[in-house]
Amino acid sequence: MGQGHSEEQGAHQVSTEQLSHELALRFARKCFTPLEITHFKDVFRSLADDQDGIHYWKEETLCRFLVIPDALGPGPLVYQMATYLGAFPFPSLAPSILTIEAMLKVVVIMTERYGRVLKRGKADRNKLLFRSLAVFDRRMSSVYEKPSQDALNSSKDEYNNTDETAVSSPVQSRPAGFTAGFAVDQPVNDQEEEEDDDELALAALDSLDAIEVFKHDQRVDTKIHHAQIPVDNFRRLLMLLLVIAPLDAQESLSRHAERLTDKRIQGLRRVADSILWSFTPEQNAGIFYQSFNTIIPASLPYMFDGLNPLFEHFLFSKNIDLSKRRRQSTTSAPWSSPGLTSPTISQVPDIPLEPLLPREGEILDLNVLSQLAFFLKGSSFFRRLRPLYLGGDAGFSMGSIEQKVFNWRAPSLLLVAGTRLPQEPEGARERAFADTLPPKRFPNGASGNSTSGRVVFGAYLDVPWKHTYKEAVGGTETILFQLEPIHDVFRASTISKDYATFTKSGVGFGNPPPRAKLVSGLSSHISLGAVSLLLDESLEFGVFNHDSTGGGSFHPSQVRKTDWQDRFEIESLEVWGCGGDEEAEKQRAAWAFEEREAAARKTLRMGKDVESDRALLEMAGLVGNHNASGGSMG
């Protein structure tokens, strides 16, 4: 009994700095291969600054290594995130000095490798990322105090007093006299708030049997609901995330940064604003955690995926000769190996990659493609989209869509853009369209900061297109969405399965198939689903309906809890096929088969003796010149 009590008391007396160091050791041993650790150490040491024996990275070094585009201005924000995550799992230690241990934890969190150690931790870094971006609302500034000279000196003293370090560098510590840290972590009157423990941090300390130390540290940690991300900061981050969305692990961001023309930056800002307005910034000066935690899983689940390959770059050093490395033994512990002095080899020239899009449409460009990848897995879209139907080229008709889309035997993407119609129809065509819709309508949807009235809607159809006479098509992976002026996603419901229809009445998503014959006493208006998109048969007008009570084929918005309806005049319409060469070859084969069948039917109708066939048709009065008027036989 006494011995157990003594051991427990000793565990509680372990400092937060030592526990942070132990966690870095555990991450190093279990989250990386020996070769990856060798690459990581070489990358860090080759670029680190040295001050009084302390090796660390500055903001300029981090941004230069990651090739963060200066034109977008997110460099200080990325550095802020890194200095917060480097202090994991103790927020009171932030901002940390970016020593090799701190950078190791940054890479583990950004690449989501923590699951190999934190078995009981929820694989969700969103809360950590929010904390790294947020500031306390009374200050609303992203400015924070960078590590000072006192901090470096204190870290040096801590290093000299430590027997074991993870990578021959000082352990992370909060130096004496260095109390500033992030605003989100400053103590405030938060006694009325419920306990807000970070699940990943709890799992980290649980793996080290140090929960009590963590809870003590949390007592001085501001509750997350007091904090928010400044709107301007979040906009800059969104623009960066849009650029890195298609990034591969070994692909340099410089390839994408080269495309940042003034026109591209304007497009990035437009898309970022559409996403930003889904967080209702008109009501607040920043983004609160409640909306952040609601909207991202529902509408932007893959938004942070681009950070994974960006920080994977730490595991690929261009200075290491892999042929020599293979001859070395890898049985030693990764942290105990001596520093590597590798010869510098010439860099292999970048191999040109296939374009992300074979061509840009009037709606779909690189910016919108990245926006789509925030909620539709990017691996299904980057370099795998093919234009099937572009209204500007093929003409706006149902026949053109049928001819160019129906033989695509894979999922597809429909995008439609237009301008909102006024509440009261203007002109005969608008009135005729309004007369086909139910007379009672919801008010227009929100406009964000757009003054042009432009709206962009779309749908992802997970099955091939076909005519729908009695039943709709589509599966539970079908998705409706809005891209502009506000980003929103409406996922399939199982209450109704009227996911997609293609009839003489037009193209619809979420609407029941039209009735074949009108029943006496029933309205002749088109039936709109609770959450639905309808394009009329002339592809001239469209309507998006949103009933917040739901009950249809698609779930209502998680962002806007109101009823609204947008009627618009169609300006651009596109259908893109999701797939590669195999799907394109199947489409070509289907077209060839239809051409052969049409030729065969024509030959069968006429026969081989064309003159005899024509004489029979003339006798039947079906062809030829018949000017004489008909009369009676009597």
Side-chain angles (χ1 to χ4, degrees), residues 354-361 364-366 369 381-388 390 576-577 579 581:
E354 183 182 353
L356 297 173
L357 275 176
R359 59 169 291 186
E360 292 190 350
L364 185 61
D365 57 14
L366 295 179
L369 181 64
F381 292 92
F382 296 124
R383 304 183 178 91
R384 287 184 60 81
L385 285 182
R386 295 173 178 270
L388 303 181
L390 302 178
W576 295 76
D581 295 336

PDB file of all heavy atoms in Angstrom, residues 354-361 364-366 369 381-388 390 576-577 579 581:
ATOM      1  N   GLU A 354       0.446  15.105 -65.061  1.00  0.00           N
ATOM      2  CA  GLU A 354      -0.768  15.294 -65.830  1.00  0.00           C
ATOM      3  C   GLU A 354      -1.551  16.452 -65.245  1.00  0.00           C
ATOM      4  O   GLU A 354      -1.632  16.600 -64.025  1.00  0.00           O
ATOM      5  CB  GLU A 354      -1.601  14.008 -65.783  1.00  0.00           C
ATOM      6  CG  GLU A 354      -2.871  14.061 -66.610  1.00  0.00           C
ATOM      7  CD  GLU A 354      -3.670  12.782 -66.497  1.00  0.00           C
ATOM      8  OE1 GLU A 354      -3.158  11.820 -65.888  1.00  0.00           O
ATOM      9  OE2 GLU A 354      -4.805  12.751 -66.999  1.00  0.00           O
ATOM     10  N   PRO A 355      -2.151  17.305 -66.063  1.00  0.00           N
ATOM     11  CA  PRO A 355      -2.909  18.444 -65.527  1.00  0.00           C
ATOM     12  C   PRO A 355      -4.025  17.983 -64.595  1.00  0.00           C
ATOM     13  O   PRO A 355      -4.600  16.908 -64.775  1.00  0.00           O
ATOM     14  CB  PRO A 355      -3.472  19.113 -66.790  1.00  0.00           C
ATOM     15  CG  PRO A 355      -2.584  18.665 -67.904  1.00  0.00           C
ATOM     16  CD  PRO A 355      -2.120  17.288 -67.535  1.00  0.00           C
ATOM     17  N   LEU A 356      -4.340  18.814 -63.611  1.00  0.00           N
ATOM     18  CA  LEU A 356      -5.413  18.493 -62.686  1.00  0.00           C
ATOM     19  C   LEU A 356      -6.751  18.423 -63.395  1.00  0.00           C
ATOM     20  O   LEU A 356      -7.639  17.648 -63.016  1.00  0.00           O
ATOM     21  CB  LEU A 356      -5.465  19.533 -61.568  1.00  0.00           C
ATOM     22  CG  LEU A 356      -4.230  19.623 -60.673  1.00  0.00           C
ATOM     23  CD1 LEU A 356      -4.350  20.801 -59.714  1.00  0.00           C
ATOM     24  CD2 LEU A 356      -4.038  18.329 -59.893  1.00  0.00           C
ATOM     25  N   LEU A 357      -6.922  19.264 -64.425  1.00  0.00           N
ATOM     26  CA  LEU A 357      -8.109  19.246 -65.267  1.00  0.00           C
ATOM     27  C   LEU A 357      -7.683  19.203 -66.727  1.00  0.00           C
ATOM     28  O   LEU A 357      -6.740  19.907 -67.113  1.00  0.00           O
ATOM     29  CB  LEU A 357      -8.951  20.507 -65.049  1.00  0.00           C
ATOM     30  CG  LEU A 357      -9.957  20.542 -63.899  1.00  0.00           C
ATOM     31  CD1 LEU A 357     -10.604  21.924 -63.826  1.00  0.00           C
ATOM     32  CD2 LEU A 357     -11.018  19.470 -64.046  1.00  0.00           C
ATOM     33  N   PRO A 358      -8.344  18.400 -67.570  1.00  0.00           N
ATOM     34  CA  PRO A 358      -7.970  18.400 -68.986  1.00  0.00           C
ATOM     35  C   PRO A 358      -8.240  19.743 -69.649  1.00  0.00           C
ATOM     36  O   PRO A 358      -7.554  20.132 -70.588  1.00  0.00           O
ATOM     37  CB  PRO A 358      -8.871  17.299 -69.584  1.00  0.00           C
ATOM     38  CG  PRO A 358      -9.995  17.134 -68.615  1.00  0.00           C
ATOM     39  CD  PRO A 358      -9.421  17.443 -67.272  1.00  0.00           C
ATOM     40  N   ARG A 359      -9.250  20.446 -69.159  1.00  0.00           N
ATOM     41  CA  ARG A 359      -9.552  21.808 -69.593  1.00  0.00           C
ATOM     42  C   ARG A 359     -10.459  22.432 -68.532  1.00  0.00           C
ATOM     43  O   ARG A 359     -11.074  21.727 -67.740  1.00  0.00           O
ATOM     44  CB  ARG A 359     -10.259  21.834 -70.955  1.00  0.00           C
ATOM     45  CG  ARG A 359     -11.569  21.070 -70.984  1.00  0.00           C
ATOM     46  CD  ARG A 359     -12.369  21.342 -72.248  1.00  0.00           C
ATOM     47  NE  ARG A 359     -12.895  22.697 -72.294  1.00  0.00           N
ATOM     48  CZ  ARG A 359     -13.729  23.135 -73.251  1.00  0.00           C
ATOM     49  NH1 ARG A 359     -14.124  22.310 -74.205  1.00  0.00           N
ATOM     50  NH2 ARG A 359     -14.171  24.373 -73.237  1.00  0.00           N
ATOM     51  N   GLU A 360     -10.496  23.751 -68.502  1.00  0.00           N
ATOM     52  CA  GLU A 360     -11.374  24.428 -67.561  1.00  0.00           C
ATOM     53  C   GLU A 360     -12.700  24.748 -68.244  1.00  0.00           C
ATOM     54  O   GLU A 360     -12.745  25.022 -69.443  1.00  0.00           O
ATOM     55  CB  GLU A 360     -10.727  25.715 -67.032  1.00  0.00           C
ATOM     56  CG  GLU A 360      -9.525  25.467 -66.138  1.00  0.00           C
ATOM     57  CD  GLU A 360      -9.053  26.729 -65.438  1.00  0.00           C
ATOM     58  OE1 GLU A 360      -9.547  27.830 -65.798  1.00  0.00           O
ATOM     59  OE2 GLU A 360      -8.207  26.633 -64.531  1.00  0.00           O
ATOM     60  N   GLY A 361     -13.763  24.699 -67.476  1.00  0.00           N
ATOM     61  CA  GLY A 361     -15.067  25.074 -67.993  1.00  0.00           C
ATOM     62  C   GLY A 361     -15.420  26.488 -67.582  1.00  0.00           C
ATOM     63  O   GLY A 361     -14.612  27.214 -66.992  1.00  0.00           O
ATOM     64  N   LEU A 364     -16.280  25.197 -63.694  1.00  0.00           N
ATOM     65  CA  LEU A 364     -15.233  24.421 -63.027  1.00  0.00           C
ATOM     66  C   LEU A 364     -13.851  24.879 -63.457  1.00  0.00           C
ATOM     67  O   LEU A 364     -13.468  24.762 -64.622  1.00  0.00           O
ATOM     68  CB  LEU A 364     -15.415  22.928 -63.348  1.00  0.00           C
ATOM     69  CG  LEU A 364     -14.468  21.980 -62.618  1.00  0.00           C
ATOM     70  CD1 LEU A 364     -14.655  22.066 -61.111  1.00  0.00           C
ATOM     71  CD2 LEU A 364     -14.664  20.546 -63.096  1.00  0.00           C
ATOM     72  N   ASP A 365     -13.104  25.424 -62.498  1.00  0.00           N
ATOM     73  CA  ASP A 365     -11.696  25.742 -62.698  1.00  0.00           C
ATOM     74  C   ASP A 365     -10.912  25.138 -61.541  1.00  0.00           C
ATOM     75  O   ASP A 365     -11.453  24.375 -60.742  1.00  0.00           O
ATOM     76  CB  ASP A 365     -11.471  27.251 -62.825  1.00  0.00           C
ATOM     77  CG  ASP A 365     -11.993  28.024 -61.604  1.00  0.00           C
ATOM     78  OD1 ASP A 365     -12.273  27.389 -60.557  1.00  0.00           O
ATOM     79  OD2 ASP A 365     -12.111  29.265 -61.691  1.00  0.00           O
ATOM     80  N   LEU A 366      -9.638  25.454 -61.431  1.00  0.00           N
ATOM     81  CA  LEU A 366      -8.808  24.849 -60.388  1.00  0.00           C
ATOM     82  C   LEU A 366      -9.276  25.234 -58.991  1.00  0.00           C
ATOM     83  O   LEU A 366      -9.189  24.431 -58.056  1.00  0.00           O
ATOM     84  CB  LEU A 366      -7.346  25.261 -60.587  1.00  0.00           C
ATOM     85  CG  LEU A 366      -6.666  24.749 -61.861  1.00  0.00           C
ATOM     86  CD1 LEU A 366      -5.231  25.245 -61.945  1.00  0.00           C
ATOM     87  CD2 LEU A 366      -6.699  23.226 -61.927  1.00  0.00           C
ATOM     88  N   LEU A 369     -12.413  23.260 -58.273  1.00  0.00           N
ATOM     89  CA  LEU A 369     -12.019  21.862 -58.121  1.00  0.00           C
ATOM     90  C   LEU A 369     -11.519  21.589 -56.707  1.00  0.00           C
ATOM     91  O   LEU A 369     -11.873  20.576 -56.091  1.00  0.00           O
ATOM     92  CB  LEU A 369     -10.932  21.518 -59.147  1.00  0.00           C
ATOM     93  CG  LEU A 369     -10.412  20.080 -59.140  1.00  0.00           C
ATOM     94  CD1 LEU A 369     -11.518  19.096 -59.518  1.00  0.00           C
ATOM     95  CD2 LEU A 369      -9.224  19.940 -60.098  1.00  0.00           C
ATOM     96  N   PHE A 381     -11.217  13.057 -57.979  1.00  0.00           N
ATOM     97  CA  PHE A 381     -11.435  14.185 -58.859  1.00  0.00           C
ATOM     98  C   PHE A 381     -10.155  14.723 -59.495  1.00  0.00           C
ATOM     99  O   PHE A 381     -10.157  15.045 -60.682  1.00  0.00           O
ATOM    100  CB  PHE A 381     -12.133  15.310 -58.091  1.00  0.00           C
ATOM    101  CG  PHE A 381     -13.542  14.962 -57.700  1.00  0.00           C
ATOM    102  CD1 PHE A 381     -13.816  14.394 -56.475  1.00  0.00           C
ATOM    103  CD2 PHE A 381     -14.586  15.179 -58.582  1.00  0.00           C
ATOM    104  CE1 PHE A 381     -15.106  14.061 -56.124  1.00  0.00           C
ATOM    105  CE2 PHE A 381     -15.875  14.843 -58.246  1.00  0.00           C
ATOM    106  CZ  PHE A 381     -16.141  14.281 -57.015  1.00  0.00           C
ATOM    107  N   PHE A 382      -9.081  14.847 -58.729  1.00  0.00           N
ATOM    108  CA  PHE A 382      -7.863  15.396 -59.306  1.00  0.00           C
ATOM    109  C   PHE A 382      -7.334  14.450 -60.384  1.00  0.00           C
ATOM    110  O   PHE A 382      -7.077  13.278 -60.143  1.00  0.00           O
ATOM    111  CB  PHE A 382      -6.803  15.616 -58.225  1.00  0.00           C
ATOM    112  CG  PHE A 382      -7.193  16.644 -57.207  1.00  0.00           C
ATOM    113  CD1 PHE A 382      -7.223  16.344 -55.859  1.00  0.00           C
ATOM    114  CD2 PHE A 382      -7.539  17.928 -57.600  1.00  0.00           C
ATOM    115  CE1 PHE A 382      -7.590  17.286 -54.921  1.00  0.00           C
ATOM    116  CE2 PHE A 382      -7.911  18.885 -56.670  1.00  0.00           C
ATOM    117  CZ  PHE A 382      -7.931  18.562 -55.330  1.00  0.00           C
ATOM    118  N   ARG A 383      -7.219  14.994 -61.601  1.00  0.00           N
ATOM    119  CA  ARG A 383      -6.746  14.247 -62.768  1.00  0.00           C
ATOM    120  C   ARG A 383      -7.680  13.103 -63.168  1.00  0.00           C
ATOM    121  O   ARG A 383      -7.278  12.189 -63.871  1.00  0.00           O
ATOM    122  CB  ARG A 383      -5.322  13.712 -62.534  1.00  0.00           C
ATOM    123  CG  ARG A 383      -4.312  14.800 -62.175  1.00  0.00           C
ATOM    124  CD  ARG A 383      -2.912  14.262 -62.014  1.00  0.00           C
ATOM    125  NE  ARG A 383      -1.990  15.348 -61.724  1.00  0.00           N
ATOM    126  CZ  ARG A 383      -1.682  15.755 -60.490  1.00  0.00           C
ATOM    127  NH1 ARG A 383      -2.217  15.144 -59.451  1.00  0.00           N
ATOM    128  NH2 ARG A 383      -0.850  16.750 -60.301  1.00  0.00           N
ATOM    129  N   ARG A 384      -8.934  13.135 -62.704  1.00  0.00           N
ATOM    130  CA  ARG A 384      -9.887  12.077 -63.035  1.00  0.00           C
ATOM    131  C   ARG A 384     -11.242  12.633 -63.476  1.00  0.00           C
ATOM    132  O   ARG A 384     -12.235  11.905 -63.504  1.00  0.00           O
ATOM    133  CB  ARG A 384     -10.080  11.138 -61.833  1.00  0.00           C
ATOM    134  CG  ARG A 384      -8.885  10.224 -61.577  1.00  0.00           C
ATOM    135  CD  ARG A 384      -9.179   9.257 -60.446  1.00  0.00           C
ATOM    136  NE  ARG A 384     -10.313   8.399 -60.710  1.00  0.00           N
ATOM    137  CZ  ARG A 384     -10.279   7.301 -61.455  1.00  0.00           C
ATOM    138  NH1 ARG A 384      -9.144   6.933 -62.028  1.00  0.00           N
ATOM    139  NH2 ARG A 384     -11.369   6.580 -61.636  1.00  0.00           N
ATOM    140  N   LEU A 385     -11.303  13.898 -63.822  1.00  0.00           N
ATOM    141  CA  LEU A 385     -12.538  14.486 -64.325  1.00  0.00           C
ATOM    142  C   LEU A 385     -12.429  14.709 -65.832  1.00  0.00           C
ATOM    143  O   LEU A 385     -11.399  15.188 -66.320  1.00  0.00           O
ATOM    144  CB  LEU A 385     -12.841  15.808 -63.619  1.00  0.00           C
ATOM    145  CG  LEU A 385     -13.376  15.743 -62.187  1.00  0.00           C
ATOM    146  CD1 LEU A 385     -13.665  17.139 -61.670  1.00  0.00           C
ATOM    147  CD2 LEU A 385     -14.619  14.881 -62.089  1.00  0.00           C
ATOM    148  N   ARG A 386     -13.511  14.384 -66.534  1.00  0.00           N
ATOM    149  CA  ARG A 386     -13.557  14.576 -67.987  1.00  0.00           C
ATOM    150  C   ARG A 386     -14.823  15.356 -68.347  1.00  0.00           C
ATOM    151  O   ARG A 386     -15.903  15.032 -67.849  1.00  0.00           O
ATOM    152  CB  ARG A 386     -13.559  13.228 -68.718  1.00  0.00           C
ATOM    153  CG  ARG A 386     -12.284  12.442 -68.518  1.00  0.00           C
ATOM    154  CD  ARG A 386     -12.395  11.051 -69.123  1.00  0.00           C
ATOM    155  NE  ARG A 386     -11.149  10.312 -68.968  1.00  0.00           N
ATOM    156  CZ  ARG A 386     -10.155  10.315 -69.838  1.00  0.00           C
ATOM    157  NH1 ARG A 386     -10.272  11.011 -70.964  1.00  0.00           N
ATOM    158  NH2 ARG A 386      -9.054   9.625 -69.630  1.00  0.00           N
ATOM    159  N   PRO A 387     -14.698  16.371 -69.185  1.00  0.00           N
ATOM    160  CA  PRO A 387     -15.902  17.122 -69.577  1.00  0.00           C
ATOM    161  C   PRO A 387     -16.791  16.279 -70.485  1.00  0.00           C
ATOM    162  O   PRO A 387     -16.381  15.884 -71.580  1.00  0.00           O
ATOM    163  CB  PRO A 387     -15.328  18.342 -70.305  1.00  0.00           C
ATOM    164  CG  PRO A 387     -13.983  17.897 -70.811  1.00  0.00           C
ATOM    165  CD  PRO A 387     -13.467  16.899 -69.820  1.00  0.00           C
ATOM    166  N   LEU A 388     -17.990  15.990 -70.039  1.00  0.00           N
ATOM    167  CA  LEU A 388     -18.949  15.245 -70.852  1.00  0.00           C
ATOM    168  C   LEU A 388     -19.867  16.184 -71.623  1.00  0.00           C
ATOM    169  O   LEU A 388     -20.114  15.983 -72.812  1.00  0.00           O
ATOM    170  CB  LEU A 388     -19.789  14.324 -69.953  1.00  0.00           C
ATOM    171  CG  LEU A 388     -19.033  13.310 -69.088  1.00  0.00           C
ATOM    172  CD1 LEU A 388     -20.017  12.467 -68.286  1.00  0.00           C
ATOM    173  CD2 LEU A 388     -18.141  12.423 -69.940  1.00  0.00           C
ATOM    174  N   LEU A 390     -20.710  20.467 -71.937  1.00  0.00           N
ATOM    175  CA  LEU A 390     -20.506  21.875 -71.612  1.00  0.00           C
ATOM    176  C   LEU A 390     -21.525  22.665 -72.413  1.00  0.00           C
ATOM    177  O   LEU A 390     -21.475  22.693 -73.642  1.00  0.00           O
ATOM    178  CB  LEU A 390     -19.082  22.327 -71.954  1.00  0.00           C
ATOM    179  CG  LEU A 390     -17.936  21.555 -71.283  1.00  0.00           C
ATOM    180  CD1 LEU A 390     -16.581  22.073 -71.754  1.00  0.00           C
ATOM    181  CD2 LEU A 390     -18.038  21.651 -69.768  1.00  0.00           C
ATOM    182  N   TRP A 576     -19.554  16.716 -65.726  1.00  0.00           N
ATOM    183  CA  TRP A 576     -18.204  16.159 -65.764  1.00  0.00           C
ATOM    184  C   TRP A 576     -18.251  14.701 -65.317  1.00  0.00           C
ATOM    185  O   TRP A 576     -18.890  14.367 -64.314  1.00  0.00           O
ATOM    186  CB  TRP A 576     -17.262  16.945 -64.854  1.00  0.00           C
ATOM    187  CG  TRP A 576     -17.050  18.360 -65.293  1.00  0.00           C
ATOM    188  CD1 TRP A 576     -17.921  19.401 -65.152  1.00  0.00           C
ATOM    189  CD2 TRP A 576     -15.903  18.893 -65.963  1.00  0.00           C
ATOM    190  NE1 TRP A 576     -17.389  20.554 -65.675  1.00  0.00           N
ATOM    191  CE2 TRP A 576     -16.154  20.273 -66.184  1.00  0.00           C
ATOM    192  CE3 TRP A 576     -14.695  18.353 -66.384  1.00  0.00           C
ATOM    193  CZ2 TRP A 576     -15.227  21.107 -66.811  1.00  0.00           C
ATOM    194  CZ3 TRP A 576     -13.771  19.181 -66.993  1.00  0.00           C
ATOM    195  CH2 TRP A 576     -14.037  20.535 -67.213  1.00  0.00           C
ATOM    196  N   GLY A 577     -17.576  13.841 -66.058  1.00  0.00           N
ATOM    197  CA  GLY A 577     -17.504  12.439 -65.687  1.00  0.00           C
ATOM    198  C   GLY A 577     -16.372  12.187 -64.717  1.00  0.00           C
ATOM    199  O   GLY A 577     -15.269  12.740 -64.852  1.00  0.00           O
ATOM    200  N   GLY A 579     -13.826   9.631 -63.551  1.00  0.00           N
ATOM    201  CA  GLY A 579     -13.210   8.372 -63.947  1.00  0.00           C
ATOM    202  C   GLY A 579     -11.990   8.613 -64.812  1.00  0.00           C
ATOM    203  O   GLY A 579     -11.627   9.759 -65.109  1.00  0.00           O
ATOM    204  N   ASP A 581      -9.218   6.545 -67.958  1.00  0.00           N
ATOM    205  CA  ASP A 581      -9.215   6.054 -69.334  1.00  0.00           C
ATOM    206  C   ASP A 581     -10.170   4.885 -69.527  1.00  0.00           C
ATOM    207  O   ASP A 581     -10.784   4.735 -70.586  1.00  0.00           O
ATOM    208  CB  ASP A 581      -7.793   5.643 -69.727  1.00  0.00           C
ATOM    209  CG  ASP A 581      -6.850   6.833 -69.765  1.00  0.00           C
ATOM    210  OD1 ASP A 581      -7.345   7.965 -69.943  1.00  0.00           O
ATOM    211  OD2 ASP A 581      -5.631   6.628 -69.601  1.00  0.00           O
TER     212      ASP A 581
END
